[in-house]
């Protein structure tokens, strides 16, 4: 059974940092690409960062240079280190397999506010 469990969100001031984690199960993790998404209130879910099975990464323009995606295949976990956070980064963050999506997890709320 495919399951994705996100954690690590919270309230942070602008300029602050957070590290999100996503524990995955149900597929052979090391063979799958993984992606972080986010959904702000009233907006569509958008892709934030992708890490491919070989370890290469890609980022949306809005987070490039501030966010870093990484993975630990031994723990079947993908991470998102978020630095220099801005109010516009406020959203619920989700991880999922890419491109073959699994069921969505509950997400983790990130709120950037002073």
């Amino acid at each position: 059974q495919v399951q994705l469990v996100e954690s690590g969100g919270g309230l942070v001031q602008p300029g602050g940092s957070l590290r999100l984690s996503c524990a995955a199960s149900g597929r052979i993790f090391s063979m799958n690409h993984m992606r972080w998404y986010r959904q702000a209130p009233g907006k569509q879910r958008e892709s934030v960062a992708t890490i491919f099975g070989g370890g290469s990464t890609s980022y949306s323009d809005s987070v490039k240079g501030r966010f870093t995606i990484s993975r630990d295949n031994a723990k079947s976990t993908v991470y998102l280190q978020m630095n220099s956070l801005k109010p516009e980064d406020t959203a619920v963050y989700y991880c999922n397999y890419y491109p073959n999506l699994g069921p969505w997890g509950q997400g983790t709320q990130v709120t950037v506010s002073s």
Side-chain angles (χ1 to χ4, degrees), residues 74-96:
K75 296 182 178 180
S76 296
T77 299
V78 61
Y79 303 97
L80 187 68
Q81 177 67 44
M82 306 186 297
N83 298 329
S84 302
L85 283 162
K86 303 176 181 180
E88 52 263 44
D89 294 318
T90 295
V92 180
Y93 284 71
Y94 303 86
C95 70
N96 213 318

Side-chain angles (χ1 to χ4, degrees), residues 5-12 17-23 29 35-39 48-49 51 63 66-72 76-83 85 89-95 106-112:
V5 180
E6 301 91 348
S7 62
L11 172 64
V12 63
S17 298
L18 282 174
R19 188 193 192 207
L20 307 184
S21 300
C22 170
F29 182 79
R35 176 172 279 186
W36 280 97
Y37 300 81
R38 68 185 180 187
Q39 187 167 21
V48 173
I51 186 164
V63 308
R66 300 187 297 122
F67 290 11
T68 303
I69 188 172
S70 61
R71 64 191 297 160
D72 185 335
S76 296
T77 299
V78 61
Y79 303 97
L80 187 68
Q81 177 67 44
M82 306 186 297
N83 298 329
L85 283 162
D89 294 318
T90 295
V92 180
Y93 284 71
Y94 303 86
C95 70
Q106 84 287 352
T108 187
Q109 175 71 49
V110 172
T111 303
V112 185

